[in-house]
Amino acid sequence: MAKNHFSRNNHSGFTLLEILVVVMIVGVLCAIAAPLWLAFIDIVRLNIAKDQVYRAIRQAQSEASHQKLTWQASFRQQEDGTVQLAVHPATVNPAKAQWQSLDPNIVLDDESTLQQRNGVRQIEFDFKGTVRKPPLGRITLTSKYGGNAKRCVYVSTILGAMRTGKEHPRPRNGDFCY
């Protein structure tokens, strides 16, 4: 007589031990992957914030040469740690400027060197689009929750040339972001 594979007496399936082994393997893989995923998300957030800072500085430079007025890009960090940026004419008090918040997981790093006045870091461009008041500097961003990842935007020359950088394992001139 042929055996019916779909009979009600079929006791096939997984044992409790087999299910526990699979759950443990999945748990170990998740424990390995989670920190890598979180680090990846931090890098993505930093890159987006760096691009926003770069575009803000470039916009201030462009508006200055287009409107033949002195414009500035301003950056500040709120008490809750939120980094904000504003692009406005230099005649406008930064407190009255229209501020845009960056990702709440991003903070200004101590390596930031742009001039600071009244808690606001700023860079001004004159009617030619050149830096109005040297010294030059940079904005350095890092994750609020630590880690070594940093992203920075440099204003490199008086003519207003800009570049971006990221963290390195060894410092150059005392700085890790270059």
Side-chain angles (χ1 to χ4, degrees):
M1 178 174 193
K3 188 175 180 182
N4 185 357
H5 290 289
F6 300 106
S7 70
R8 291 186 176 160
N9 295 333
N10 190 359
H11 296 288
S12 64
F14 297 106
T15 66
L16 181 59
L17 182 60
E18 290 170 332
I19 292 173
L20 286 174
V21 167
V22 169
V23 168
M24 284 181 49
I25 290 171
V26 169
V28 167
L29 290 175
C30 287
I32 292 170
L36 297 174
W37 177 254
L38 293 175
F40 171 75
I41 294 299
D42 275 348
I43 297 297
V44 168
R45 288 177 176 155
L46 281 170
N47 285 335
I48 290 170
K50 174 199 64 162
D51 290 343
Q52 289 173 313
V53 167
Y54 183 87
R55 282 193 310 269
I57 296 172
R58 189 60 80 193
Q59 181 185 358
Q61 184 182 35
S62 175
E63 290 293 334
S65 62
H66 178 71
Q67 295 187 14
K68 302 297 183 205
L69 296 170
T70 301
W71 275 67
Q72 72 182 39
S74 300
F75 306 91
R76 69 181 180 189
Q77 188 163 312
Q78 299 291 84
E79 289 182 21
D80 66 354
T82 303
V83 177
Q84 295 181 319
L85 60 85
V87 177
H88 55 92
T91 56
V92 173
N93 184 341
K96 295 181 181 179
Q98 195 169 23
W99 292 91
Q100 173 190 348
S101 295
L102 298 180
D103 187 297
N105 297 303
I106 303 298
V107 294
L108 288 178
D109 191 78
D110 293 336
E111 288 186 16
S112 295
T113 60
L114 280 185
Q115 292 180 2
Q116 188 170 3
R117 240 182 284 150
N118 299 325
V120 177
R121 294 189 180 276
Q122 54 199 21
I123 186 81
E124 289 185 357
F125 296 96
D126 66 15
F127 69 97
K128 294 179 186 175
T130 60
V131 176
R132 183 167 176 250
K133 296 179 181 178
L136 307 172
R138 72 170 176 266
I139 290 291
T140 304
L141 306 166
T142 189
S143 174
K144 183 183 276 188
Y145 303 109
N148 294 331
K150 295 181 182 186
R151 295 294 184 266
C152 41
V153 178
Y154 286 84
V155 179
S156 302
T157 68
I158 294 174
L159 296 176
M162 287 180 256
R163 65 181 176 88
T164 61
K166 66 179 191 172
E167 79 284 347
H168 288 83
R170 295 190 178 150
R172 184 169 70 184
N173 299 327
D175 300 322
F176 287 91
C177 192
Y178 54 90

